[in-house]
Amino acid sequence: MLDINQMDQAAYTLKAISNGTRLCVISLLADKEELNVSEIGERLQCEQSLLSHHLTDMRAKGILNCRRDGKNCYYSLKNKQITKILDCIQSCQCAE
Amino acid sequence: MLDINQMDQAAYTLKAISNGTRLCVISLLADKEELNVSEIGERLQCEQSLLSHHLTDMRAKGILNCRRDGKNCYYSLKNKQITKILDCIQSCQCAE
DNA sequence: TTGTCATATGAAAATATGTTCATATATTTG
DNA sequence: CAAATATATGAACATATTTTCATATGACAA
């Protein structure tokens, strides 16, 4: 049965990751368990402040976790399952 | 390896479906194979023109197919695989 | 302390998405 | 042909997302 609220919730989460930079972050964290902002910034070509906005927002929306250690902030995936979405879209793109 | 273009492509597709109404359409078409605009409109509470915009755009972005039969236009999923994304996010939401 | 490095924040500007409304087009029927 | 039905389109507007820039904060080291 079609549950509109459930779809809206799903859309909310999807929106939070439907961006090239954000998907890159997720992909990086799929492999590395946790990375600090500078490490992520080096691997992506993304300006410091912009990356920070992305990370902060993904955290606010329940996608990422953050842990401070000294000067650094280490980000990780709150739920590893999210990486399955990456595989999923990728397989969709192929089969086109 | 991190391929930014691939991620941008994935983001493009994800954006095209990151909306409650659009996910509902996909969910309907997952079950029904094909439906015309009126049938979709009845099942969703979505104004004619707005639904049409959504459908047209999803079609332009390679998510949906469209076939005209007389006065009606029948929409279907271009690639059934896309429905796996629905399952995927849903399983993510649960595991939170 | 002061300086420096790592990161966050806020506001403004740029851009994209979603929505509405009026109207257009295609098809069928009388 | 005119009217009715199904759907699309375009412009205007509202709202959300993305980007930039300047500045703030927290932690550490000298």
Side-chain angles (χ1 to χ4, degrees), chain B residues 38 48-49 52-53 72-73 75:
Chain B
S38 313
Q48 185 274 316
S49 164
S52 180
H53 279 300
N72 296 292
C73 282
Y75 280 88

Side-chain angles (χ1 to χ4, degrees), chain B residues 17-76:
Chain B
I17 67 171
S18 297
N19 169 282
T21 301
R22 291 182 183 204
L23 291 178
C24 285
V25 169
I26 291 173
S27 170
L28 285 175
L29 293 174
D31 298 343
K32 289 287 181 179
E33 202 62 45
E34 80 174 6
L35 287 171
N36 65 42
V37 181
S38 313
E39 289 169 330
I40 298 173
E42 281 161 31
R43 285 165 172 82
L44 273 41
Q45 83 272 77
C46 186
E47 194 254 334
Q48 185 274 316
S49 164
L50 179 53
L51 178 57
S52 180
H53 279 300
H54 281 307
L55 294 173
T56 301
D57 189 64
M58 281 198 277
R59 187 191 175 196
K61 291 179 177 159
I63 315 286
L64 300 180
N65 263 132
C66 179
R67 163 180 89 75
R68 181 177 269 272
D69 180 12
K71 283 184 290 188
N72 296 292
C73 282
Y74 286 85
Y75 280 88
S76 56

Side-chain angles (χ1 to χ4, degrees), chain A residues 8-23:
Chain A
D8 280 341
Q9 247 239 262
Y12 177 83
T13 302
L14 279 180
K15 253 182 209 170
I17 67 171
S18 297
N19 169 283
T21 301
R22 293 183 182 203
L23 291 178

Side-chain angles (χ1 to χ4, degrees), chain A residues 18-73:
Chain A
S18 297
N19 169 283
T21 301
R22 293 183 182 203
L23 291 178
C24 285
V25 169
I26 290 172
S27 171
L28 285 174
L29 292 175
D31 298 344
K32 288 287 181 179
E33 201 61 45
E34 80 174 6
L35 288 170
N36 65 43
V37 181
S38 312
E39 291 170 329
I40 297 173
E42 282 161 30
R43 285 167 173 82
L44 273 42
Q45 84 273 75
C46 187
E47 194 254 333
Q48 185 276 313
S49 163
L50 179 53
L51 177 57
S52 181
H53 279 301
H54 281 308
L55 294 173
T56 301
D57 190 64
M58 281 198 277
R59 187 189 176 201
K61 290 177 176 160
I63 316 285
L64 301 180
N65 262 132
C66 179
R67 162 181 89 76
R68 181 178 268 273
D69 180 11
K71 282 185 288 189
N72 296 290
C73 281

Side-chain angles (χ1 to χ4, degrees), chain B residues 74-89:
Chain B
Y74 286 85
Y75 280 88
S76 56
L77 295 175
K78 190 151 182 180
N79 178 353
K80 279 267 181 186
Q81 296 255 62
I82 201 99
T83 61
K84 287 200 303 181
I85 292 184
L86 270 180
D87 303 336
C88 208
I89 329 159

